[in-house]
Amino acid sequence: MATSGSDYLTQRANQIKRKQKLVTYISLLGFGGSMLFGGVNTLKQAWEKPQQPIAVQSAETESQKQIKGYELVLQREPNNQMALEKLSIFRLQSGDNQGAIALIERLVKLHPDRQDYKTVLADIQKKMAR
């Protein structure tokens, strides 16, 4: 009787191992299939939709946020030197030369000892005169 009990235990252990292998293979197939489906779907979306220049859009919105921030600072502190400088640079870069000139003129009035402000103002006015 001891042999039949040990045979039963051996058979049962083998059945459990087979079931564990089967479950492992099914799990691996499911995981591989989901990875394959996700990869194919991603490639399909990339193929159908050419990428938008996201970096350009985010840079534009970032500069817009900075401009609004400096404008808010100037509303609270109209003579804030750094905000006047940075906002004048942004306006020059965006092509708003008149707005930049107005800001730089304020800087020259607030800091008459700063020669660099006077030089930049003269350069911009020369470019505008052409």
Side-chain angles (χ1 to χ4, degrees):
M1 296 240 176
T3 59
S4 68
S6 66
D7 287 342
Y8 172 76
L9 291 176
T10 305
Q11 286 178 345
R12 185 71 179 141
N14 287 338
Q15 285 178 345
I16 291 172
K17 286 181 183 178
R18 277 189 296 233
K19 287 180 182 178
Q20 286 176 341
K21 284 183 181 180
L22 183 62
V23 169
T24 302
Y25 290 136
I26 291 172
S27 298
L28 286 173
L29 283 172
F31 178 72
S34 67
M35 292 296 289
L36 182 64
F37 179 75
V40 168
N41 195 21
T42 302
L43 290 174
K44 180 181 171 188
Q45 287 178 355
W47 186 265
E48 290 175 355
K49 297 179 185 176
Q51 291 184 347
Q52 299 290 330
I54 295 171
V56 173
Q57 292 174 352
S58 65
E60 288 176 4
T61 57
E62 184 65 29
S63 64
Q64 292 295 331
K65 288 179 185 177
Q66 288 179 345
I67 288 171
K68 288 180 183 178
Y70 290 127
E71 288 173 345
L72 287 173
V73 170
L74 289 175
Q75 286 177 1
R76 288 182 308 228
E77 305 172 43
N79 298 333
N80 186 304
Q81 182 178 1
M82 185 183 81
L84 287 168
E85 286 180 13
K86 297 294 184 177
L87 191 55
S88 67
I89 291 169
F90 277 117
R91 289 200 175 154
L92 282 173
Q93 290 173 345
S94 67
D96 181 12
N97 293 335
Q98 292 297 332
I101 288 174
L103 293 172
I104 296 171
E105 285 175 344
R106 280 176 54 191
L107 281 169
V108 169
K109 288 178 186 175
L110 292 171
H111 305 281
D113 55 321
R114 295 280 306 261
Q115 186 60 38
D116 56 335
Y117 292 152
K118 294 175 186 175
T119 305
V120 170
L121 180 61
D123 288 344
I124 296 170
Q125 289 173 337
K126 283 181 188 176
K127 288 179 185 177
M128 293 291 294
R130 291 183 195 170

